[in-house]
Amino acid sequence: MPRRTKQEALATRHRLLDSAEMLFHQQGVSKTTLQQIAEHAGTTRGAIYWHFKDKADLFNAMMERVTLPMESAGRDPGANLAPLEEVERGLAEALRLVTEDPQVSRVFEIASHKVEYTEELRAVRDRHLTARNNACMEFEQALRATAEREGLRLSLPPETAALVLHALVAGLIQDWLLDNRKFNLVKVGLQGFRTFLRGLR
Amino acid sequence: MPRRTKQEALATRHRLLDSAEMLFHQQGVSKTTLQQIAEHAGTTRGAIYWHFKDKADLFNAMMERVTLPMESAGRDPGANLAPLEEVERGLAEALRLVTEDPQVSRVFEIASHKVEYTEELRAVRDRHLTARNNACMEFEQALRATAEREGLRLSLPPETAALVLHALVAGLIQDWLLDNRKFNLVKVGLQGFRTFLRGLR
DNA sequence: GCTTATACATACATAACTGAATGTATATTT
DNA sequence: AAATATACATTCAGTTATGTATGTATAAGC
């Protein structure tokens, strides 16, 4: 078989990632073999080993295809809202993505129920952890700024409140993934968020 | 090698479950082989296949050893508290167990980060789901009862509030498992719980 | 005290996944 | 237009997990 053009090669790479995503979602990561992925993408294992170092590398690439855009998204410096409203907007956008973008929801479900975090995937877990810390710090900043601006004192230290807020959202996403017919994630998420904020004052 | 007495057989079974628990926790479920478990327990795979049907069966037994006692625990009809205080007590007790009982924390971490929920483990996922639904219903009942007794109306429908409460707790546990040095689970859990309740009034 | 089921240990057959090595036709480069 | 690197396909060697079948010494049952 011939050498492919650069475009074709990139297309192959995408097909491989798509196939991995589907099969990981259906069967779990560890029960999915590189051969299955290759076949589903219409190639052979040779193609996988050309584009990726091994299964863990392929998994990482699949994750980053979704998480990198999500992390850089959400910021909109044009509309200068109050800090908490900005946070709320980002939150709503994220929740909407989880429920409406099938790729996002699939990858989230893979990350939370279809993979085992062992040594060779430590990188993913570390990224998850720093992402959480960033989210918490952002919450915390917004809470501090709002409290100062409005001259009120919160019933919890901002750090703790930020932690709980993150847990609330993360827990809702997890629950929604477990049974996505049960409730409307965006609506309940925003209601929960606002109710907790009311309790803080 | 001889046949063992019933006591010895039961001890073997426990050692197998202990070994599985440790190895699952260290390496993840799918990368842990039955041979490793048997060796760590000082026996052979024959013993595993005698006591359990296969790896999934062993995993289920390992889970139930911790989850069954937890589900039946917590109830204390002697002290008749207000419904919400009863809920709070159960919550504190559960969080305390997660942080202080190493077996509970290990099994929780296995269940949330070290196993892939595919078809053959559907039973575990289903149990998880019904456990969640039970917890939500309990929250909901308590909220309704309290609202009626005190004649106040909540800012969210009880069903939604219960969902959010559960997500808050589940999210906190998940966050704590991810990095258990970061915060005091029992303390933050109770603070978050109470703050959200304040927001509901 | 004899029988039998028990609680494993051992051995085997099979299937399968991985990583690396090698082959190759053709885009690309110069 | 020749040389080279690319984008895979193919093959192979090696390892290893699983399920099952079978062996066996003894605790239990009668």
Side-chain angles (χ1 to χ4, degrees), chain A residues 39-122:
Chain A
E39 277 179 17
H40 187 273
T43 66
T44 68
R45 274 171 49 239
I48 296 185
Y49 280 107
W50 173 255
H51 286 283
F52 310 97
K53 181 172 167 288
D54 54 15
K55 200 172 170 183
D57 190 35
L58 170 61
F59 178 84
N60 278 318
M62 184 212 68
M63 290 294 299
E64 291 191 352
R65 203 163 59 142
V66 167
T67 56
L68 283 189
M70 280 201 75
E71 286 173 14
S72 60
R75 308 286 153 267
D76 181 5
N80 58 344
L81 304 164
L84 270 183
E85 286 177 0
E86 170 112 12
V87 166
E88 189 176 308
R89 227 183 48 77
L91 176 64
E93 177 61 13
L95 295 182
R96 201 188 58 77
L97 267 181
V98 172
T99 55
E100 293 185 7
D101 185 326
Q103 186 179 18
V104 172
S105 109
R106 233 175 310 162
V107 170
F108 267 62
E109 199 175 346
I110 293 172
S112 57
H113 299 306
K114 309 286 189 172
V115 66
E116 301 173 8
Y117 291 101
T118 65
E119 278 313 306
E120 71 196 34
L121 265 62
R122 169 179 290 278

Side-chain angles (χ1 to χ4, degrees), chain B residues 134-191:
Chain B
N134 287 341
C136 281
M137 281 181 51
E138 201 177 328
F139 285 166
E140 191 179 334
Q141 295 296 336
L143 287 173
R144 273 193 216 285
T146 308
E148 188 169 354
R149 174 191 297 198
E150 302 185 11
L152 48 79
R153 73 169 10 143
L154 305 175
S155 61
L156 289 184
E159 195 186 335
T160 303
L163 220 64
V164 175
L165 265 179
H166 175 270
L168 194 155
V169 175
L172 275 177
I173 292 178
Q174 185 182 322
D175 275 1
W176 187 85
L177 288 174
L178 206 60
D179 176 10
N180 54 24
R181 291 148 306 180
K182 186 160 190 190
F183 61 94
N184 181 311
L185 179 56
V186 178
K187 190 175 157 198
V188 174
L190 287 179
Q191 287 178 330

Side-chain angles (χ1 to χ4, degrees), chain B residues 78-93:
Chain B
N80 57 343
L81 306 163
L84 269 183
E85 286 177 0
E86 171 113 14
V87 166
E88 191 176 307
R89 227 183 49 78
L91 177 63
E93 176 61 14

Side-chain angles (χ1 to χ4, degrees), chain B residues 57-168:
Chain B
D57 190 35
L58 169 60
F59 179 83
N60 278 319
M62 185 212 67
M63 289 293 300
E64 291 191 352
R65 204 165 56 141
V66 166
T67 56
L68 282 190
M70 279 201 74
E71 286 173 15
S72 61
R75 309 285 152 268
D76 180 6
N80 57 343
L81 306 163
L84 269 183
E85 286 177 0
E86 171 113 14
V87 166
E88 191 176 307
R89 227 183 49 78
L91 177 63
E93 176 61 14
L95 294 182
R96 201 187 59 76
L97 266 182
V98 172
T99 55
E100 293 184 6
D101 186 327
Q103 185 179 19
V104 172
S105 110
R106 233 174 314 169
V107 170
F108 266 61
E109 198 174 347
I110 294 172
S112 57
H113 299 306
K114 311 284 192 174
V115 67
E116 301 174 8
Y117 291 101
T118 65
E119 278 314 306
E120 70 196 35
L121 265 63
R122 168 178 291 278
V124 180
R125 191 170 179 160
D126 287 349
R127 288 178 60 86
H128 187 124
L129 218 154
T130 65
R132 179 192 78 172
N133 289 340
N134 287 341
C136 281
M137 281 181 51
E138 201 177 328
F139 285 166
E140 191 179 334
Q141 295 296 336
L143 287 173
R144 273 193 216 285
T146 308
E148 188 169 354
R149 174 191 297 198
E150 302 185 11
L152 48 79
R153 73 169 10 143
L154 305 175
S155 61
L156 289 184
E159 195 186 335
T160 303
L163 220 64
V164 175
L165 265 179
H166 175 270
L168 194 155

Side-chain angles (χ1 to χ4, degrees), chain A residues 26-31 109 112-120 125 128-129 132-133 136 155-157 159-160 163-164 166-168 170-179 182-183 188-189 191-193 195-196 198-201, chain B residues 26-31 109 112-120 125 128-129 132-133 136 155-157 159-160 163-164 166-168 170-179 182-183 188-189 191-193 195-196 198-201:
Chain A
Q26 286 175 20
Q27 324 177 5
V29 172
S30 69
K31 302 206 88 172
E109 199 175 346
S112 57
H113 299 306
K114 309 286 189 172
V115 66
E116 301 173 8
Y117 291 101
T118 65
E119 278 313 306
E120 71 196 34
R125 190 169 179 164
H128 187 123
L129 218 154
R132 179 193 78 174
N133 289 340
C136 281
S155 61
L156 288 184
E159 196 186 333
T160 303
L163 219 64
V164 176
H166 176 270
L168 194 154
L172 275 177
I173 292 178
Q174 185 182 321
D175 274 1
W176 186 84
L177 287 174
L178 206 60
D179 177 9
K182 185 158 193 195
F183 62 94
V188 174
Q191 287 178 329
F193 179 78
T195 303
F196 183 75
R198 279 191 55 200
L200 274 180
R201 299 174 195 269
Chain B
Q26 285 175 22
Q27 324 178 5
V29 173
S30 69
K31 302 205 86 172
E109 198 174 347
S112 57
H113 299 306
K114 311 284 192 174
V115 67
E116 301 174 8
Y117 291 101
T118 65
E119 278 314 306
E120 70 196 35
R125 191 170 179 160
H128 187 124
L129 218 154
R132 179 192 78 172
N133 289 340
C136 281
S155 61
L156 289 184
E159 195 186 335
T160 303
L163 220 64
V164 175
H166 175 270
L168 194 155
L172 275 177
I173 292 178
Q174 185 182 322
D175 275 1
W176 187 85
L177 288 174
L178 206 60
D179 176 10
K182 186 160 190 190
F183 61 94
V188 174
Q191 287 178 330
F193 180 78
T195 303
F196 182 75
R198 280 190 55 199
L200 274 180
R201 299 174 194 270

